[in-house]
Amino acid sequence: MKVKYKLWVLLLLCVATLSAGLTTTPLSAAPLVASSSLHDSNSEIPVEVTLLPEIDGIKAGEPFWIGVHFKLGQGWHVYWKNPGEIGFPTSVEWELPEGFTLGEVHWPAPKKFTDHDMIAFGYEESLTLLAEIIPPKDLTLGKSVSVGANVSWLACKELCVPGNHTGSLDLKVIEGASLPHPKWGGVIKSAKRELPKQLMGVSAVHSEGTFLLEFETPHPGTTFQSGYFFPEVEGVIDTHAPHQLTQTRSQLSLALPALTDGGDFGEGVRGVLVLVADATGVQHTFSINTILGSGMTPTSSSASIAEAFSLGTLLLTLILAFAGGAILNLMPCVLPVISLKVLSFINLAGSSRRESIRHGLLFSFGVVVSFWVLGALLLVLRAYGEVIGWGFQLQEPGFVAFLIMALFLFGLSLLGVFEIGTSFAAVGGKVQGKSGAVGAFLSGVLATIVATPCTGPLLASALGVAVVLPTPLAMLVFTSLALGMASPYLLLSFFPKLMRWLPKPGPWMVTFKQLMGFLLLATILWLLWVFHAEVQSDNGLILLLGALFLLSIAGWVYGRFATPLQSRRTRLFARVGASAILVFAV
């Protein structure tokens, strides 16, 4: 039935095309922009096609993007690569110079149309297809190369009009950093942001006439009212029947009714998933490419992780978190507070054992409460972040650049360019001066606050595990971290004689501190690679490196002239100057 319907539509299209006197003539190649239009009998423009360059020049061996932009007349639509039950897919045949290779062609998420009780998938108003082109490494500088595309489509409104366009772009081979095209660079960047995000950990099962997709909810804390799956393969899913969405606390499943006389997905289930948020009505689009199995379960969901956590695995995780918390006491930022707390234990040596234990317990309670607050904040941020797309951070060049600059400042501090945490340590004496329960509790809070600026390398793994666990287990990890950090103080309060085994201050502390700085610099190298891959521009990378250079100057000015050894006026000018350079760098 479907094949006959399409043949009937094709016959009508041919008759309509001949009767309207429509012709499609390839345009001659334009330097940068080529467009083609088709007119119906009312002289309405259904489709205008434009080839869009991402950059103003190409470099040998450096991939670049080209967009094929469709501007559609009001009420007209064109079709996705799977057009549905009616229509024909939009297609692009690329004509590349010798040595050039074509990467993947990226499609935005389609919409569902209903036309004469037939379901179609396509686009209204506009469509931008993106393709990544990889040039060879032996291009001649200053030479212009031509990248062409032969585009065909079917545009429909009350009637359907086939169209074809042949155009090309002349791109110059340059030596320096390529810049975004002044007119089209922003359009390409915006189109990239609209592409469906890859959804990992999806299982697909076929049972009793239904395909079931199961996956971890991509936005924990968000309730979804509906979901729809656009398959790349025709004739498998019943597009008329609703796609039933079921949501638990951390899991989603989408039931797709199969056609009784339909085929199968073949090698894998590929398509686009659209989820509609309940509260906001915002659509979240995802790309799915998974293997059809007999009962696979996603491995990355919080619920699956929680179920996979046997008692032994949970105990091992808590032990490692405890050990990580204990190591925090060796961080240079915390050492001043440690010395102050040890002195307080010495002062309590003449007191009763009960008083010493009470102070140790209160100090430890302060540490635990501080870690609970930290854990709660992270879990709230996780829930809020999922509403706007948890995991979006490292997909956004702006956030990656901010993270690089923040870690770079911490690295400069650990390497001794300037100090972070000295002001907190100065407050430590005042806190220690408080007597009784309040002073002991605040000492624990202070130790945790002072530890936070330079604990990234040690806490990263534990926090990474905690933020994907359900809330009770996540808070249990934070509690174990806190108890690990407080354990030396508890031991000293219960067994004061152990103080003679404490490591003596010495050059090893400076060495340890600097090693932590080099670990941060290694992390920055990886993030720079991520940033460059996202912006696809050497110029963007150079700008970020320039910002890091300015940050190093700001850190040096602050560390050299804002120390307590300088006059108050010098310190003021140093802080203002360092802040100005910092703001300019950002």
Side-chain angles (χ1 to χ4, degrees):
M1 177 66 182
K2 179 179 176 183
V3 175
K4 293 181 179 179
Y5 187 86
K6 285 194 173 184
L7 291 176
W8 177 73
V9 170
L10 181 59
L11 181 60
L12 280 183
L13 291 176
C14 294
V15 173
T17 302
L18 291 174
S19 62
L22 296 174
T23 59
T24 303
T25 305
L27 297 182
S28 59
L32 281 177
V33 178
S35 63
S36 175
S37 302
L38 290 177
H39 302 260
D40 62 12
S41 56
N42 296 320
S43 298
E44 182 181 4
I45 302 177
V47 180
E48 180 180 330
V49 178
T50 309
L51 300 184
L52 310 180
E54 178 191 22
I55 52 181
D56 60 353
I58 64 174
K59 293 182 63 177
E62 185 172 294
F64 61 94
W65 292 68
I66 286 182
V68 181
H69 182 72
F70 295 76
K71 182 180 179 181
L72 308 178
Q74 185 176 4
W76 291 85
H77 59 265
V78 294
Y79 295 92
W80 190 46
K81 49 186 167 182
N82 171 14
E85 296 179 312
I86 186 175
F88 295 94
T90 302
S91 66
V92 181
E93 296 181 1
W94 294 93
E95 298 176 358
L96 303 179
E98 184 178 356
F100 282 66
T101 57
L102 175 67
E104 182 181 359
V105 177
H106 300 269
W107 295 69
K111 297 179 181 179
K112 184 174 71 170
F113 303 99
T114 302
D115 188 8
H116 296 91
D117 296 328
M118 306 295 286
I119 300 296
F121 304 144
Y123 307 91
E124 293 178 312
E125 297 181 357
S126 65
L127 162 66
T128 302
L129 299 179
L130 297 176
E132 187 178 28
I133 310 296
I134 305 172
K137 296 182 178 180
D138 56 351
L139 294 179
T140 304
L141 292 177
K143 180 182 178 181
S144 291
V145 296
S146 179
V147 176
N150 184 11
V151 189
S152 60
W153 63 87
L154 179 67
C156 293
K157 192 177 179 182
E158 286 83 6
L159 56 84
C160 293
V161 179
N164 177 271
H165 162 71
T166 299
S168 64
L169 296 173
D170 291 333
L171 302 173
K172 189 175 182 179
V173 181
I174 61 176
E175 182 178 9
S178 56
L179 297 175
H181 191 274
K183 185 175 182 180
W184 306 116
V187 178
I188 298 292
K189 184 177 181 180
S190 177
K192 287 182 181 180
R193 293 179 182 274
E194 296 298 324
L195 294 177
K197 304 294 188 298
Q198 184 71 37
L199 185 62
M200 307 301 294
V202 180
S203 70
V205 182
H206 186 196
S207 176
E208 299 180 356
T210 300
F211 292 97
L212 186 65
L213 301 180
E214 296 180 322
F215 47 93
E216 174 192 1
T217 175
H219 304 293
T222 300
T223 303
F224 295 99
Q225 60 177 314
S226 62
Y228 195 87
F229 180 67
F230 294 89
E232 291 189 9
V233 179
E234 300 181 54
V236 179
I237 293 176
D238 185 354
T239 56
H240 292 267
H243 296 179
Q244 186 65 40
L245 181 69
T246 304
Q247 181 172 6
T248 61
R249 190 170 68 90
S250 59
Q251 286 285 113
L252 285 171
S253 62
L254 189 65
L256 313 175
L259 289 172
T260 55
D261 56 349
D264 209 331
F265 281 105
E267 296 180 357
V269 180
R270 294 184 299 273
V272 173
L273 172 66
V274 177
L275 297 176
V276 181
D278 193 8
T280 61
V282 175
Q283 291 190 354
H284 303 268
T285 60
F286 305 94
S287 175
I288 290 180
N289 186 1
T290 187
I291 299 175
L292 187 65
S294 58
M296 297 160 26
T297 56
T299 58
S300 59
S301 67
S302 299
S304 299
I305 294 175
E307 295 172 0
F309 260 41
S310 63
L311 180 60
T313 306
L314 178 60
L315 288 176
L316 178 61
T317 302
L318 295 179
I319 290 173
L320 293 176
F322 183 90
I327 296 175
L328 292 182
N329 292 287
L330 298 178
M331 296 303 296
C333 297
V334 191
L335 289 177
V337 181
I338 292 179
S339 61
L340 292 172
K341 193 58 192 173
V342 171
L343 287 176
S344 69
F345 285 138
I346 294 175
N347 293 331
L348 289 173
S351 304
S352 64
R353 179 182 178 87
R354 180 178 180 181
E355 184 68 14
S356 176
I357 292 176
R358 187 173 76 94
H359 272 257
L361 291 175
L362 288 171
F363 177 87
S364 302
F365 185 61
V367 175
V368 172
V369 169
S370 300
F371 269 89
W372 283 347
V373 173
L374 173 65
L377 287 175
L378 287 178
L379 294 177
V380 168
L381 289 175
R382 177 182 73 175
Y384 175 75
E386 293 296 352
V387 175
I388 60 175
W390 184 257
F392 78 99
Q393 295 95 330
L394 290 183
Q395 300 174 13
E396 294 292 336
F399 180 85
V400 175
F402 171 79
L403 186 59
I404 289 173
M405 290 188 285
L407 292 180
F408 186 68
L409 284 176
F410 286 139
L412 292 179
S413 175
L414 292 177
L415 292 172
V417 177
F418 66 96
E419 296 294 333
I420 296 179
T422 54
S423 58
F424 289 111
V427 178
K430 298 179 181 180
V431 173
Q432 298 294 342
K434 292 181 177 292
S435 58
V438 175
F441 177 82
L442 291 180
S443 297
V445 174
L446 176 67
T448 307
I449 293 175
V450 174
T452 52
C454 54
T455 54
L458 296 175
L459 282 182
S461 299
L463 297 183
V465 172
V467 295
V468 299
L469 288 174
T471 300
L473 291 183
M475 294 305 294
L476 195 58
V477 172
F478 282 108
T479 303
S480 184
L481 279 167
L483 292 176
M485 183 174 176
S487 58
Y489 308 103
L490 282 175
L491 287 175
L492 290 176
S493 62
F494 278 84
F495 307 102
K497 292 183 179 180
L498 292 176
M499 283 188 290
R500 62 183 180 179
W501 297 100
L502 291 176
K504 299 294 188 283
W508 69 270
M509 296 191 304
V510 178
T511 303
F512 182 80
K513 175 183 175 182
Q514 293 172 347
L515 286 176
M516 293 296 102
F518 285 114
L519 285 179
L520 282 183
L521 293 182
T523 304
I524 291 170
L525 287 178
W526 173 73
L527 288 174
L528 285 171
W529 174 78
V530 173
F531 177 82
H532 183 260
E534 290 179 341
V535 299
Q536 292 288 323
S537 170
D538 291 341
N539 184 64
L541 182 61
I542 292 173
L543 287 175
L544 180 55
L545 292 176
L548 297 183
F549 174 71
L550 292 176
L551 288 181
S552 65
I553 296 177
W556 176 80
V557 169
Y558 182 83
R560 176 66 178 82
F561 299 104
T563 64
L565 298 178
Q566 305 293 335
S567 65
R568 180 177 299 179
R569 183 177 181 181
T570 302
R571 293 199 302 269
L572 176 61
F573 277 107
R575 289 169 181 169
V576 172
S579 300
I581 298 173
L582 175 65
V583 171
F584 184 73
V586 174

